[in-house]
Amino acid sequence: MKRERRIDYVEFASRDPAASRRFFEQVFGWTFEDYGTDYTAFDDGELQGGFFRGTPVTSEAGAALLVLYAGQLAPVQAHVEAHGGKVAKPIFSFPGGRRFQFIEPGGNELAVWNERDSD
């Protein structure tokens, strides 16, 4: 079974689960189902998870950094900013590719990467 011993579900603390939902719907096209005002579950087409009302922790404070993939980084970074996300680290190169890191409106830090040298 493909699920065996793999990450199956991920949950994020969010200061505002509704704001997190709007952001990920608009920027990444995820689908959601609300369970009251303090929890919203998502499906990104591959992985499922949820946002619960709480205080997020950034990667600098020790939280895991979830990294998404995009074929082109610059348009995604612009879309993140246009929908209320804040760029924590603009596009930079690292061995194996390039990425940027952002904080979504609920306070979670994530990254977007690709293996190309330029957009």
Side-chain angles (χ1 to χ4, degrees):
M1 176 177 234
K2 196 172 187 179
R3 294 170 70 177
E4 183 69 24
R5 300 181 191 210
R6 306 226 183 238
I7 294 173
D8 188 56
Y9 197 87
V10 61
E11 291 188 325
F12 297 91
S14 173
R15 287 188 296 270
D16 185 345
S20 295
R21 174 186 175 146
R22 282 189 303 277
F23 177 81
F24 285 98
E25 282 175 329
Q26 294 169 339
V27 177
F28 295 100
W30 296 1
T31 59
F32 284 82
E33 183 173 344
D34 292 331
Y35 294 92
T37 58
D38 292 333
Y39 195 90
T40 187
F42 70 82
D43 186 333
D44 76 354
E46 294 272 331
L47 180 68
Q48 295 177 335
F51 291 92
F52 63 92
R53 189 170 305 281
T55 304
V57 179
T58 65
S59 64
E60 286 189 11
L65 180 66
L66 270 71
V67 183
L68 309 171
Y69 181 86
Q72 293 185 318
L73 297 180
V76 176
Q77 182 175 306
H79 212 50
V80 162
E81 292 176 292
H83 290 282
K86 301 205 181 328
V87 173
K89 293 183 181 176
I91 296 171
F92 65 93
S93 295
F94 67 95
R98 295 166 18 114
R99 77 177 192 205
F100 72 93
Q101 291 170 218
F102 67 93
I103 301 187
E104 55 91 13
N108 290 287
E109 181 181 7
L110 291 93
V112 181
W113 88 285
N114 72 26
E115 63 280 302
R116 297 175 22 198
D117 290 331
S118 63
D119 280 332

